[in-house]
Amino acid sequence: MPGIMNQLQRELEVARLAANRAGELALRLQAGGLRAESKSDESPVTIADRECERMIVEMLSESFPEDGFLGEEGAVKPSVSGRRWIIDPIDGTRDFVRGNPVWAVLIGLEEEGRVVAGVAHLPVLGDTYFASAGDGAYRNDDRIRVSGIADPASAVLSVNGWTSIGRAHFAPELLDWISQFWSVRCFGGCLDAMMLAAGQMEVWIEPKVAPWDLAAPKIILEEAGARFFDFAGVNTIYGGNSVACTPGLEPMVRDFLDRRQTPG
């Protein structure tokens, strides 16, 4: 844990424990065999998603009974405290059901509309990333920081969601823009975001995401020094899409998005 005590230390400790236990439960259920169902938006869901969300909510409710909840699998509770936990019990269910290692448990804490703490636990890879406002970002208790790269010719780019990226306003010019970069790597939404936070990538683009996909990664990215915004340039987890990048590459990324906005 960070050496400096802060008011969100207990929240992070409980969230990390909940994420780890949910990851263990998911792995046990996965080993027993799973069948994925399709939700109304055609995304997959398994019993592991639902059971892990239930476990996380129970653990957080026991420690913070006045906090609210928003979970991908239906957990909703109004907040008395002005705080709300935003949960994705298995981020990357498609990877989870196929046995790919890049899925994660995501838990973010929103206070008065601002994400102030988050945990991203990748059980198979053995990594837990976490952060709280003003106290930096960490991977397995080691401080992490975005790279200082400002030249796309030396930068690694991640563009996820290729099944839906074609609907983005910048799609017709995306391939030409990508050609400026040193390399392109796309492993999975959360993993790519965490690699950016740890200085292993420089730009992360997600064309279709929900608040539970972004709450935890957003605070981790920003505490690691990244810039975070949606395709409209707004710092929010509610825009339906997201971009994160190193400070040195922010101008060129914003320029690409701004110059290619669909006329109003």
Side-chain angles (χ1 to χ4, degrees):
M1 287 292 292
I4 300 174
M5 296 285 287
N6 69 75
Q7 62 179 353
L8 294 169
Q9 184 178 28
R10 180 164 176 257
E11 284 82 351
L12 276 178
E13 288 176 348
V14 175
R16 289 179 68 187
L17 179 60
N20 274 273
R21 289 188 178 173
E24 292 169 356
L25 173 59
L27 288 171
R28 289 198 301 271
L29 293 171
Q30 184 186 54
L34 291 167
R35 183 175 65 86
E37 304 170 8
S38 291
K39 294 190 285 189
S40 59
D41 63 356
E42 298 186 356
S43 63
V45 63
T46 70
I47 189 173
D49 296 79
R50 298 186 178 107
E51 290 300 316
C52 288
E53 182 165 291
R54 180 161 38 242
M55 171 186 281
I56 292 167
V57 169
E58 287 176 356
M59 291 182 68
L60 294 174
S61 293
E62 183 177 349
S63 295
F64 312 108
E66 295 189 343
D67 290 359
F69 291 96
L70 174 65
E72 180 177 11
E73 306 311 331
V76 177
K77 175 189 170 185
S79 173
V80 175
S81 64
R83 309 193 320 173
R84 178 169 72 165
W85 294 93
I86 304 178
I87 304 161
D88 190 343
I90 298 181
D91 178 66
T93 301
R94 288 183 174 88
D95 290 304
F96 177 70
V97 298
R98 294 298 298 271
N100 297 327
V102 297
W103 56 277
V105 181
L106 303 180
I107 303 175
L109 175 60
E110 183 182 60
E111 184 172 19
E112 303 297 344
R114 174 174 169 254
V115 182
V116 295
V119 174
H121 175 54
L122 291 91
V124 182
L125 299 181
D127 287 325
T128 302
Y129 299 79
F130 59 96
S132 59
D135 201 38
Y138 298 80
R139 178 180 61 198
N140 302 335
D141 299 337
D142 293 324
R143 186 75 177 261
I144 56 175
R145 187 84 185 163
V146 298
S147 80
I149 292 175
D151 180 0
S154 301
V156 178
L157 166 71
S158 166
V159 181
N160 286 312
W162 283 96
T163 55
S164 57
I165 198 76
R167 293 189 287 275
H169 65 273
F170 52 74
E173 299 182 62
L174 180 60
L175 287 179
D176 284 342
W177 187 71
I178 284 176
S179 67
Q180 303 174 77
F181 286 83
W182 181 59
S183 184
V184 178
R185 295 288 184 269
C186 305
F187 299 106
C190 175
L191 177 58
D192 291 327
M194 296 303 95
M195 291 179 71
L196 195 162
Q200 298 165 308
M201 287 189 180
E202 282 69 48
V203 180
W204 174 58
I205 297 175
E206 280 281 356
K208 185 179 179 182
V209 281
W212 42 77
D213 299 309
L214 296 176
K218 179 180 187 291
I219 185 67
I220 297 168
L221 285 162
E222 291 184 329
E223 285 297 315
R227 302 292 189 261
F228 182 96
F229 44 92
D230 67 6
F231 288 0
V234 180
N235 184 292
T236 179
I237 62 173
Y238 298 103
N241 45 60
S242 65
V243 178
C245 62
T246 60
L249 288 169
E250 181 180 11
M252 73 160 290
V253 174
R254 285 189 178 273
D255 180 66
F256 175 69
L257 296 174
D258 291 345
R259 288 189 291 110
R260 291 158 180 83
Q261 290 285 356
T262 303

